[in-house]
Amino acid sequence: LARPAGALLAVALVAIGLAVVVAPQASAAPPTPEASLSVPASSFIGTDVGFSVSFDNADVDAVGYGPYVDLWLPVTGVDGAGGATDDGLTFASATYLGSDVTSIPITLTNCGGSQTHPYTGLPIVCPAGFRVGDQLVVLELPFGSFSPGQPAAVIDVTTAMSNLADLGVDLPVAARAGFRYGSSPTGNTPIVQSSPDTATVEPTLVSMTKTYLGPEDETATGPNFPRQYRLDLGVAPGQTLTALDITDLLPDNLVYLGATDLTPAGSITAEPASTTAPQNAPDNELTVTYPTVTGSGGTADASVTVDFYVPDLDANGDPVID
């Protein structure tokens, strides 16, 4: 590059400073332990009651460490606590995928927080419906951590229901999940589910089912197409019922033909409705009487099979099929 003689080439360098303002990073959301219960609505007194507790991490990002579940059981039942006899649910075992889960049963001696949790050191405060004498069972999951998106872990729990449990009075169950080491693999503040999941189970003495025995759950009308259904009565194990009546209210579009396959055999008196036409109340009651029935805890400690057919016209004279 030629330049005029004597000219000077000057190069100016200009430094430009860029100021970058970085906002403080928001704190990450903590992991969210969640326990949920699946408990049967009812169960025979004097039997094992099985149910499941699911553990999950409901957060979208944060990993939790040291997962566990607190399970609350009403050992004292309705009449227990103090000098009375316990008549509720007592812990028996817990498994995950068939293997035993580390379980720490704790009898509650104070519901106001004077007892401390074996994993977190936090005060133990009873959920609503539980009292001194009831049971807290701490269940440790076989994981060091639990990540978001990880499938829920289902713990299978077996409890024993007292044979003195009050019939028809629901017994409460509660479960609360937690991370004993919080959000750090080296441990920080424990994280506990804000409120427990709750359920109830009703102690029962008897159960009844009605099962249609015909083909495809349907039938043609007329006496040429007799059909059957069966009534089964289950009784809690070790319990004996005397002077037991089973009464079935027959629908107005069914003709009763008789009762067969009576169990226990030879100990039943049947008082059926009409066997020639469908009936309305109060003439539609089929009553089977058992002098005594002893329970095995099964579903058919007493049973009877009912023979019937569907007529063209119901008890009101209306066509059964339009």
Side-chain angles (χ1 to χ4, degrees):
L1 175 65
R3 68 184 180 201
L8 297 177
L9 178 63
V11 178
L13 300 179
V14 179
I16 302 174
L18 299 178
V20 179
V21 179
V22 180
Q25 185 174 1
S27 299
T32 308
E34 284 190 358
S36 57
L37 288 162
S38 179
V39 178
S42 63
S43 184
F44 283 145
I45 60 174
T47 62
D48 287 343
V49 182
F51 57 88
S52 64
V53 185
S54 294
F55 181 99
D56 202 1
N57 181 358
D59 192 70
V60 295
D61 297 308
V63 177
Y65 296 88
Y68 71 91
V69 173
D70 285 341
L71 178 66
W72 302 81
L73 296 174
V75 173
T76 60
V78 175
D79 303 319
T85 301
D86 292 339
D87 58 355
L89 290 177
T90 304
F91 177 75
S93 64
T95 61
Y96 173 71
L97 298 180
S99 298
D100 290 341
V101 170
T102 298
S103 309
I104 305 177
I106 300 170
T107 299
L108 300 171
T109 58
N110 183 287
C111 278
S114 65
Q115 289 179 275
T116 57
H117 195 281
Y119 286 168
T120 66
L122 298 173
I124 296 175
V125 179
C126 299
F130 296 88
R131 61 189 177 186
V132 170
D134 286 336
Q135 199 172 45
L136 164 63
V137 185
V138 182
L139 305 172
E140 182 180 24
L141 275 77
F143 305 104
S145 63
F146 211 94
S147 303
Q150 185 173 338
V154 179
I155 301 173
D156 295 313
V157 177
T158 301
T159 61
M161 179 179 286
S162 169
N163 64 349
L164 302 176
D166 289 53
L167 299 177
V169 182
D170 288 343
L171 294 172
V173 179
R176 188 195 303 265
F179 289 115
R180 63 189 297 189
Y181 301 124
S183 59
S184 169
T186 56
N188 56 20
T189 303
I191 297 174
V192 181
Q193 185 175 352
S194 58
S195 59
D197 188 43
T198 59
T200 60
V201 56
E202 177 189 352
T204 59
L205 179 65
V206 296
S207 67
M208 177 178 284
T209 59
K210 179 186 288 190
T211 306
Y212 173 64
L213 304 180
E216 301 181 9
D217 289 335
E218 63 184 29
T219 187
T221 58
N224 291 331
F225 298 94
R227 298 292 185 236
Q228 294 180 319
Y229 65 82
R230 187 180 67 247
L231 299 173
D232 290 313
L233 186 82
V235 181
Q239 304 296 320
T240 298
L241 306 182
T242 58
L244 172 66
D245 286 347
I246 296 178
T247 300
D248 190 25
L249 302 180
L250 304 174
D252 65 1
N253 58 1
L254 180 155
V255 177
Y256 169 80
L257 295 177
T260 60
D261 298 331
L262 308 177
T263 303
S267 61
I268 298 115
T269 300
E271 298 177 1
S274 170
T275 58
T276 59
Q279 302 293 316
N280 284 315
D283 300 319
N284 63 333
E285 296 185 4
L286 167 65
T287 299
V288 181
T289 301
Y290 299 82
T292 182
V293 175
T294 299
S296 66
T299 59
D301 295 309
S303 63
V304 59
T305 298
V306 177
D307 299 297
F308 71 95
Y309 73 86
V310 177
D312 292 334
L313 305 177
D314 63 21
N316 301 309
D318 297 322
V320 172
I321 299 177
D322 188 354

Short mmCIF file of all heavy atoms in Angstrom, two decimals, residues 31-33 55-57 61-68 96 140-153 178-187:
data_model
loop_
_atom_site.label_atom_id
_atom_site.label_comp_id
_atom_site.label_asym_id
_atom_site.label_seq_id
_atom_site.Cartn_x
_atom_site.Cartn_y
_atom_site.Cartn_z
N PRO A 31 -37.88 -31.52 46.21
CA PRO A 31 -38.64 -32.73 45.83
C PRO A 31 -39.94 -32.79 46.64
O PRO A 31 -40.05 -32.20 47.72
CB PRO A 31 -37.69 -33.87 46.21
CG PRO A 31 -36.78 -33.29 47.24
CD PRO A 31 -36.62 -31.84 46.88
N THR A 32 -40.91 -33.47 46.08
CA THR A 32 -42.24 -33.51 46.70
C THR A 32 -42.65 -34.96 46.96
O THR A 32 -43.19 -35.63 46.08
CB THR A 32 -43.28 -32.84 45.78
OG1 THR A 32 -42.82 -31.53 45.42
CG2 THR A 32 -44.63 -32.72 46.49
N PRO A 33 -42.39 -35.47 48.17
CA PRO A 33 -42.79 -36.85 48.47
C PRO A 33 -44.30 -36.97 48.64
O PRO A 33 -44.92 -36.13 49.29
CB PRO A 33 -42.05 -37.14 49.78
CG PRO A 33 -41.91 -35.80 50.43
CD PRO A 33 -41.75 -34.80 49.32
N PHE A 55 -45.55 -44.80 46.96
CA PHE A 55 -44.65 -43.66 47.19
C PHE A 55 -44.27 -43.06 45.85
O PHE A 55 -43.93 -43.77 44.91
CB PHE A 55 -43.39 -44.12 47.92
CG PHE A 55 -42.42 -43.00 48.22
CD1 PHE A 55 -42.38 -42.42 49.46
CD2 PHE A 55 -41.56 -42.53 47.24
CE1 PHE A 55 -41.51 -41.38 49.75
CE2 PHE A 55 -40.67 -41.48 47.50
CZ PHE A 55 -40.65 -40.90 48.76
N ASP A 56 -44.32 -41.72 45.77
CA ASP A 56 -43.96 -41.05 44.52
C ASP A 56 -43.29 -39.72 44.84
O ASP A 56 -43.44 -39.16 45.93
CB ASP A 56 -45.21 -40.82 43.66
CG ASP A 56 -44.88 -40.63 42.19
OD1 ASP A 56 -43.68 -40.70 41.83
OD2 ASP A 56 -45.81 -40.41 41.41
N ASN A 57 -42.51 -39.22 43.85
CA ASN A 57 -41.93 -37.88 43.91
C ASN A 57 -42.66 -37.05 42.89
O ASN A 57 -42.47 -37.22 41.69
CB ASN A 57 -40.43 -37.94 43.62
CG ASN A 57 -39.77 -36.57 43.69
OD1 ASN A 57 -40.42 -35.55 43.93
ND2 ASN A 57 -38.46 -36.54 43.48
N ASP A 61 -38.43 -31.80 38.73
CA ASP A 61 -36.98 -31.70 38.54
C ASP A 61 -36.17 -32.28 39.69
O ASP A 61 -35.16 -32.94 39.45
CB ASP A 61 -36.57 -30.22 38.35
CG ASP A 61 -37.17 -29.61 37.10
OD1 ASP A 61 -37.03 -30.21 36.03
OD2 ASP A 61 -37.79 -28.54 37.21
N ALA A 62 -36.57 -32.00 40.94
CA ALA A 62 -35.71 -32.25 42.08
C ALA A 62 -35.72 -33.72 42.51
O ALA A 62 -36.76 -34.36 42.56
CB ALA A 62 -36.12 -31.36 43.25
N VAL A 63 -34.54 -34.22 42.84
CA VAL A 63 -34.37 -35.57 43.35
C VAL A 63 -34.43 -35.53 44.87
O VAL A 63 -33.88 -34.62 45.51
CB VAL A 63 -33.04 -36.17 42.89
CG1 VAL A 63 -32.83 -37.56 43.48
CG2 VAL A 63 -32.98 -36.23 41.37
N GLY A 64 -35.11 -36.50 45.47
CA GLY A 64 -35.17 -36.61 46.93
C GLY A 64 -34.33 -37.79 47.39
O GLY A 64 -34.16 -38.78 46.67
N TYR A 65 -33.80 -37.69 48.63
CA TYR A 65 -32.88 -38.70 49.13
C TYR A 65 -33.38 -39.29 50.45
O TYR A 65 -33.86 -38.58 51.32
CB TYR A 65 -31.49 -38.09 49.32
CG TYR A 65 -30.89 -37.63 48.01
CD1 TYR A 65 -31.13 -36.35 47.52
CD2 TYR A 65 -30.11 -38.49 47.23
CE1 TYR A 65 -30.61 -35.93 46.31
CE2 TYR A 65 -29.58 -38.08 46.02
CZ TYR A 65 -29.83 -36.80 45.56
OH TYR A 65 -29.32 -36.40 44.35
N GLY A 66 -33.26 -40.62 50.54
CA GLY A 66 -33.72 -41.32 51.73
C GLY A 66 -35.23 -41.42 51.82
O GLY A 66 -35.81 -40.99 52.82
N PRO A 67 -35.90 -42.01 50.83
CA PRO A 67 -37.36 -42.06 50.85
C PRO A 67 -37.89 -43.04 51.91
O PRO A 67 -37.32 -44.12 52.12
CB PRO A 67 -37.72 -42.55 49.44
CG PRO A 67 -36.51 -43.31 48.99
CD PRO A 67 -35.33 -42.63 49.61
N TYR A 68 -38.97 -42.64 52.55
CA TYR A 68 -39.62 -43.48 53.55
C TYR A 68 -41.10 -43.11 53.60
O TYR A 68 -41.53 -42.10 53.05
CB TYR A 68 -38.99 -43.30 54.94
CG TYR A 68 -39.30 -41.97 55.57
CD1 TYR A 68 -40.40 -41.80 56.40
CD2 TYR A 68 -38.50 -40.85 55.31
CE1 TYR A 68 -40.71 -40.56 56.96
CE2 TYR A 68 -38.79 -39.61 55.87
CZ TYR A 68 -39.90 -39.48 56.69
OH TYR A 68 -40.20 -38.26 57.23
N TYR A 96 -41.92 -55.07 49.34
CA TYR A 96 -41.82 -54.36 48.07
C TYR A 96 -41.28 -55.34 47.05
O TYR A 96 -40.19 -55.90 47.21
CB TYR A 96 -40.89 -53.15 48.18
CG TYR A 96 -40.62 -52.47 46.85
CD1 TYR A 96 -41.62 -51.75 46.20
CD2 TYR A 96 -39.39 -52.59 46.22
CE1 TYR A 96 -41.39 -51.15 44.98
CE2 TYR A 96 -39.14 -51.99 45.00
CZ TYR A 96 -40.15 -51.27 44.38
OH TYR A 96 -39.91 -50.68 43.16
N GLU A 140 -39.10 -48.02 55.29
CA GLU A 140 -37.97 -47.48 54.51
C GLU A 140 -37.95 -48.12 53.13
O GLU A 140 -37.87 -49.35 53.00
CB GLU A 140 -36.65 -47.73 55.22
CG GLU A 140 -35.45 -47.15 54.49
CD GLU A 140 -34.15 -47.41 55.21
OE1 GLU A 140 -34.08 -48.39 55.98
OE2 GLU A 140 -33.19 -46.65 55.00
N LEU A 141 -38.03 -47.30 52.08
CA LEU A 141 -37.97 -47.84 50.74
C LEU A 141 -36.54 -48.26 50.39
O LEU A 141 -35.59 -47.64 50.86
CB LEU A 141 -38.46 -46.81 49.72
CG LEU A 141 -39.98 -46.77 49.52
CD1 LEU A 141 -40.65 -46.05 50.67
CD2 LEU A 141 -40.34 -46.13 48.20
N PRO A 142 -36.38 -49.29 49.56
CA PRO A 142 -35.03 -49.78 49.23
C PRO A 142 -34.36 -48.96 48.13
O PRO A 142 -33.83 -49.51 47.16
CB PRO A 142 -35.31 -51.22 48.77
CG PRO A 142 -36.66 -51.15 48.16
CD PRO A 142 -37.44 -50.16 49.00
N PHE A 143 -34.40 -47.63 48.26
CA PHE A 143 -33.76 -46.73 47.30
C PHE A 143 -32.97 -45.68 48.08
O PHE A 143 -33.42 -45.19 49.11
CB PHE A 143 -34.80 -45.99 46.43
CG PHE A 143 -35.75 -46.86 45.70
CD1 PHE A 143 -37.06 -47.00 46.15
CD2 PHE A 143 -35.37 -47.55 44.57
CE1 PHE A 143 -37.96 -47.80 45.48
CE2 PHE A 143 -36.27 -48.37 43.89
CZ PHE A 143 -37.57 -48.49 44.35
N GLY A 144 -31.80 -45.31 47.56
CA GLY A 144 -31.07 -44.21 48.15
C GLY A 144 -31.68 -42.88 47.78
O GLY A 144 -31.59 -41.91 48.54
N SER A 145 -32.29 -42.82 46.60
CA SER A 145 -32.90 -41.58 46.12
C SER A 145 -34.14 -41.92 45.31
O SER A 145 -34.38 -43.08 44.96
CB SER A 145 -31.92 -40.78 45.28
OG SER A 145 -31.55 -41.52 44.11
N PHE A 146 -34.92 -40.88 45.00
CA PHE A 146 -36.13 -41.08 44.21
C PHE A 146 -36.28 -39.88 43.29
O PHE A 146 -36.42 -38.74 43.74
CB PHE A 146 -37.37 -41.21 45.11
CG PHE A 146 -38.44 -42.09 44.53
CD1 PHE A 146 -38.51 -43.42 44.84
CD2 PHE A 146 -39.36 -41.56 43.64
CE1 PHE A 146 -39.51 -44.24 44.31
CE2 PHE A 146 -40.36 -42.36 43.10
CZ PHE A 146 -40.43 -43.71 43.43
N SER A 147 -36.25 -40.14 41.96
CA SER A 147 -36.23 -39.08 40.96
C SER A 147 -37.63 -38.80 40.42
O SER A 147 -38.49 -39.69 40.41
CB SER A 147 -35.32 -39.47 39.79
OG SER A 147 -34.01 -39.76 40.23
N PRO A 148 -37.85 -37.57 39.96
CA PRO A 148 -39.11 -37.29 39.25
C PRO A 148 -39.23 -38.17 38.01
O PRO A 148 -38.25 -38.44 37.34
CB PRO A 148 -38.98 -35.81 38.87
CG PRO A 148 -37.99 -35.26 39.83
CD PRO A 148 -37.01 -36.37 40.10
N GLY A 149 -40.41 -38.62 37.73
CA GLY A 149 -40.62 -39.50 36.57
C GLY A 149 -40.37 -40.95 36.87
O GLY A 149 -40.73 -41.82 36.07
N GLN A 150 -39.76 -41.25 37.99
CA GLN A 150 -39.56 -42.64 38.39
C GLN A 150 -40.91 -43.25 38.73
O GLN A 150 -41.73 -42.61 39.39
CB GLN A 150 -38.62 -42.70 39.60
CG GLN A 150 -38.23 -44.09 40.04
CD GLN A 150 -37.16 -44.06 41.13
OE1 GLN A 150 -36.44 -43.07 41.26
NE2 GLN A 150 -37.07 -45.12 41.92
N PRO A 151 -41.20 -44.46 38.28
CA PRO A 151 -42.51 -45.06 38.58
C PRO A 151 -42.74 -45.14 40.09
O PRO A 151 -41.81 -45.37 40.86
CB PRO A 151 -42.42 -46.46 37.96
CG PRO A 151 -41.37 -46.34 36.91
CD PRO A 151 -40.38 -45.34 37.43
N ALA A 152 -43.99 -44.94 40.48
CA ALA A 152 -44.32 -45.01 41.90
C ALA A 152 -43.96 -46.39 42.47
O ALA A 152 -44.14 -47.41 41.81
CB ALA A 152 -45.81 -44.74 42.10
N ALA A 153 -43.43 -46.39 43.67
CA ALA A 153 -43.08 -47.63 44.36
C ALA A 153 -44.25 -48.05 45.24
O ALA A 153 -44.72 -47.27 46.07
CB ALA A 153 -41.83 -47.43 45.21
N GLY A 178 -41.90 -39.11 53.00
CA GLY A 178 -40.85 -38.15 53.32
C GLY A 178 -39.51 -38.54 52.71
O GLY A 178 -39.31 -39.68 52.26
N PHE A 179 -38.59 -37.57 52.69
CA PHE A 179 -37.19 -37.80 52.33
C PHE A 179 -36.36 -37.46 53.56
O PHE A 179 -36.25 -36.30 53.96
CB PHE A 179 -36.76 -36.92 51.15
CG PHE A 179 -37.37 -37.33 49.84
CD1 PHE A 179 -38.25 -36.48 49.19
CD2 PHE A 179 -37.08 -38.55 49.26
CE1 PHE A 179 -38.82 -36.83 47.97
CE2 PHE A 179 -37.65 -38.93 48.04
CZ PHE A 179 -38.52 -38.07 47.39
N ARG A 180 -35.77 -38.47 54.18
CA ARG A 180 -35.06 -38.24 55.44
C ARG A 180 -33.82 -37.37 55.25
O ARG A 180 -33.42 -36.66 56.18
CB ARG A 180 -34.68 -39.58 56.07
CG ARG A 180 -33.72 -40.43 55.24
CD ARG A 180 -33.54 -41.82 55.78
NE ARG A 180 -32.94 -41.84 57.11
CZ ARG A 180 -32.52 -42.96 57.69
NH1 ARG A 180 -32.68 -44.14 57.08
NH2 ARG A 180 -31.97 -42.92 58.88
N TYR A 181 -33.22 -37.42 54.05
CA TYR A 181 -32.03 -36.60 53.78
C TYR A 181 -32.34 -35.37 52.93
O TYR A 181 -31.43 -34.69 52.46
CB TYR A 181 -30.96 -37.44 53.09
CG TYR A 181 -30.53 -38.64 53.89
CD1 TYR A 181 -30.60 -39.92 53.34
CD2 TYR A 181 -30.09 -38.51 55.21
CE1 TYR A 181 -30.22 -41.03 54.08
CE2 TYR A 181 -29.70 -39.62 55.95
CZ TYR A 181 -29.78 -40.87 55.37
OH TYR A 181 -29.41 -41.97 56.11
N GLY A 182 -33.62 -35.10 52.74
CA GLY A 182 -34.02 -33.91 52.00
C GLY A 182 -33.62 -33.96 50.54
O GLY A 182 -33.77 -34.99 49.87
N SER A 183 -33.04 -32.86 50.04
CA SER A 183 -32.71 -32.73 48.61
C SER A 183 -31.23 -32.90 48.33
O SER A 183 -30.77 -32.57 47.24
CB SER A 183 -33.16 -31.36 48.10
OG SER A 183 -32.53 -30.32 48.85
N SER A 184 -30.46 -33.41 49.29
CA SER A 184 -29.02 -33.54 49.11
C SER A 184 -28.57 -34.95 49.41
O SER A 184 -28.98 -35.54 50.43
CB SER A 184 -28.27 -32.56 50.03
OG SER A 184 -26.89 -32.84 50.04
N PRO A 185 -27.69 -35.52 48.58
CA PRO A 185 -27.19 -36.87 48.87
C PRO A 185 -26.35 -36.92 50.13
O PRO A 185 -26.17 -37.99 50.72
CB PRO A 185 -26.37 -37.22 47.62
CG PRO A 185 -26.03 -35.91 47.00
CD PRO A 185 -27.16 -34.99 47.31
N THR A 186 -25.82 -35.77 50.56
CA THR A 186 -25.03 -35.73 51.79
C THR A 186 -25.89 -35.36 52.99
O THR A 186 -25.39 -35.32 54.12
CB THR A 186 -23.87 -34.73 51.66
OG1 THR A 186 -24.40 -33.44 51.32
CG2 THR A 186 -22.90 -35.18 50.58
N GLY A 187 -27.17 -35.04 52.73
CA GLY A 187 -28.10 -34.78 53.81
C GLY A 187 -28.28 -33.32 54.14
O GLY A 187 -27.31 -32.57 54.30
#
